[in-house]
Amino acid sequence: MARLTVNGKAFDVDVETDTPLLWAIRENVGLTGTKYGCGIAQCGACTVHIDGVPTRSCSVMVGDAAGKEITTIEGLASNGSLHKVQKAWIDHDVPQCGYCQSGMIMAVAALLKAKPNPTDADINAEITNICRCGTFQQVREAIHAVASA
Ligand code: FES
Ligand code: FES
């Protein structure tokens, strides 16, 4: 059993503390926007923010996330308004199949918070999420659009 704080709400989840956080978010908390891709911290599909830090939730244990502020894609919008990254994703038609995009958006939101005007080198270094549909160019354009807005 552990208490997780997800998108500002507390959830008591009845799982072993060494359960991957991704599964607790999806199966116990019931938020399925966060996706499973590889399970080994490589693809980024499962990216959430933990205390504001972009984190691959497949590779964090529930016990290590307890007591911290977890934000998922469902919690990124605030007061009914989409986050600026979500808006840019719509404006620039970034998603193709969409599977990787929750994680991609969470990673980009964290990057832009840390570096509001990232260079291409910053983007290459920080956004290492894998998109099998190859949306990388659209991702880059949308990031620059947010930065210059
Ligand atoms: S599922 Fe977590 S990084 Fe791929
Ligand atoms: S949009 Fe399909 S995997 Fe990225």
Side-chain angles (χ1 to χ4, degrees), residues 33-35 44-48 73 99-108 129:
T34 306
K35 303 301 188 196
C46 63
T47 302
V48 299
I73 187 72
Y99 195 85
C100 72
Q101 296 292 331
S102 299
M104 191 75 84
I105 288 170
M106 295 306 284
V108 169
N129 301 44

Side-chain angles (χ1 to χ4, degrees), residues 22 35-47 56-59:
L22 172 62
K35 303 301 188 196
Y36 171 79
C38 65
I40 52 170
Q42 294 296 303
C43 74
C46 63
T47 302
R56 297 184 174 185
S57 62
C58 67
S59 300

Side-chain angles (χ1 to χ4, degrees), residues 94-102 104 130-136 139:
V94 175
Q96 293 295 315
C97 80
Y99 195 85
C100 72
Q101 296 292 331
S102 299
M104 191 75 84
I130 294 171
C131 173
R132 293 191 66 169
C133 298
T135 62
F136 302 108
V139 166

Side-chain angles (χ1 to χ4, degrees), residues 17-22 50 55-65:
T17 53
D18 62 354
T19 302
L21 175 62
L22 172 62
I50 299 181
T55 304
R56 297 184 174 185
S57 62
C58 67
S59 300
V60 174
M61 301 302 111
V62 162
D64 293 326

